Amino acid sequence: MTFTDSLNCTKTRLCRPAEWAKQCLMPGILGFALLTSGLGTAQAQETLRAGGTPSGIPFTFLDVQTNEITGAMVEVINALGEDMGYDVTVQESQFNALIPSLTSGRIDIISAAMLKTPERAEVVAFSDDVYPYGEGVIIQRDYSGDIATLEDLEGQVIGAQVGTTYVRQLEESGLFPEIRNYDTLADMMRDVSVGRIVAGVGDAPIMSYQLNQGRFPDLKLAEEYEQQMVGYIGLAVAQDNIELLEQVNVSLAKLQEDGTLEAIFDAWGL
């Protein structure tokens, strides 16, 4: 409001109070409303909602002491968020619900042990590579025989985690009369342990970590097995969120160059 406008308002107030309120108060009220609305939008944009699974140890898992999702990929998204200027919140989700949560707008980014595949890239946008990844075969420690390829398990009942690429690849192989799906790798490993299935195919780094932590002492990874489904973990955003994807890739390159990513994965034994 200019000085002249102020004089006009003073004259109006002396003669017509209703008009004075309309001319002088309403612009101020509207301006304040727009200002606070803008602040609210900015504050909402400062929070990055990430999705992680409760059972993908050591990449993402539920810490029962804090009741929060933690792990290597949580540290990665926190480091990225700090570099990009976001406050990060991590929401718990089962693996097969991560992409639906992203595409429906319940989360902004997936930061979990998700392998980049052409099929997934049709519905989400992947970042640059974060971590090399491949499958492993888990069997009982006293299993007799060598397992170099999946053909060595032909005719057996095996398992895989629902929502992973391994399920489709195992089905397409035509080698197995039954492929049982599990919500978590721990559930699958438990069934191998008690003999409900002969073997399980899953993420080698996660199963290796479980074994190194002393879980399932009666199991082992097939040492001779040659990985056939090797790829890379990537962060995922909605396909139309190009701005966020560009921010993620810029920050990811910085964290790779300065050694932050390597230090995070080393700290988790990866």
Side-chain angles (χ1 to χ4, degrees), residues 53-54 61-70 90-92:
T53 66
F61 63 98
L62 181 65
D63 186 328
V64 294
Q65 294 183 341
T66 64
N67 202 35
E68 294 180 350
I69 300 296
T70 188
V90 181
Q91 299 181 16
E92 178 181 338

Side-chain angles (χ1 to χ4, degrees), residues 94-127:
Q94 292 298 329
F95 189 84
N96 62 336
L98 283 171
I99 289 180
S101 294
L102 179 65
T103 56
S104 64
R106 290 194 293 272
I107 59 176
D108 303 308
I109 189 168
I110 295 172
S111 185
M114 179 170 285
L115 198 65
K116 297 168 60 173
T117 67
E119 294 79 11
R120 288 171 179 159
E122 292 179 0
V123 290
V124 303
F126 279 110
S127 71

Side-chain angles (χ1 to χ4, degrees), residues 8-221:
N8 289 337
C9 282
T10 302
K11 294 176 182 178
T12 303
R13 180 180 59 182
L14 292 173
C15 301
R16 295 182 294 276
E19 291 186 15
W20 172 79
K22 180 179 179 180
Q23 294 178 17
C24 301
L25 290 180
M26 289 305 295
I29 293 172
L30 289 173
F32 179 75
L34 289 173
L35 176 62
T36 55
S37 174
L39 287 174
T41 302
Q43 289 171 348
Q45 292 173 344
E46 290 175 359
T47 298
L48 188 66
R49 301 167 301 167
T53 66
S55 56
I57 190 169
F59 291 94
T60 59
F61 63 98
L62 181 65
D63 186 328
V64 294
Q65 294 183 341
T66 64
N67 202 35
E68 294 180 350
I69 300 296
T70 188
M73 289 302 291
V74 174
E75 291 192 16
V76 168
I77 193 60
N78 283 333
L80 287 171
E82 182 177 355
D83 186 70
M84 294 186 294
Y86 290 103
D87 289 327
V88 176
T89 62
V90 181
Q91 299 181 16
E92 178 181 338
S93 174
Q94 292 298 329
F95 189 84
N96 62 336
L98 283 171
I99 289 180
S101 294
L102 179 65
T103 56
S104 64
R106 290 194 293 272
I107 59 176
D108 303 308
I109 189 168
I110 295 172
S111 185
M114 179 170 285
L115 198 65
K116 297 168 60 173
T117 67
E119 294 79 11
R120 288 171 179 159
E122 292 179 0
V123 290
V124 303
F126 279 110
S127 71
D128 294 335
D129 297 342
V130 176
Y131 186 82
Y133 214 65
E135 88 282 10
V137 175
I138 194 78
I139 53 178
Q140 290 187 354
R141 185 168 291 278
D142 59 359
Y143 181 90
S144 59
D146 295 334
I147 302 174
T149 68
L150 293 176
E151 283 75 12
D152 293 325
L153 289 167
E154 183 176 2
Q156 302 289 354
V157 177
I158 65 171
Q161 185 180 6
V162 65
T164 63
T165 60
Y166 310 131
V167 175
R168 178 182 56 80
Q169 290 165 315
L170 292 172
E171 291 173 345
E172 291 178 351
S173 72
L175 295 171
F176 309 104
E178 183 181 358
I179 302 166
R180 297 184 185 176
N181 293 343
Y182 296 88
D183 287 335
T184 70
L185 285 177
D187 291 338
M188 182 186 75
M189 295 172 73
R190 194 171 296 110
D191 267 14
V192 175
S193 180
V194 299
R196 293 193 182 100
I197 57 176
V198 172
V201 177
D203 302 321
I206 294 178
M207 293 192 296
S208 177
Y209 184 87
Q210 295 263 20
L211 297 178
N212 290 336
Q213 294 298 306
R215 303 181 180 96
F216 305 104
D218 57 335
L219 300 184
K220 66 178 181 179
L221 285 169

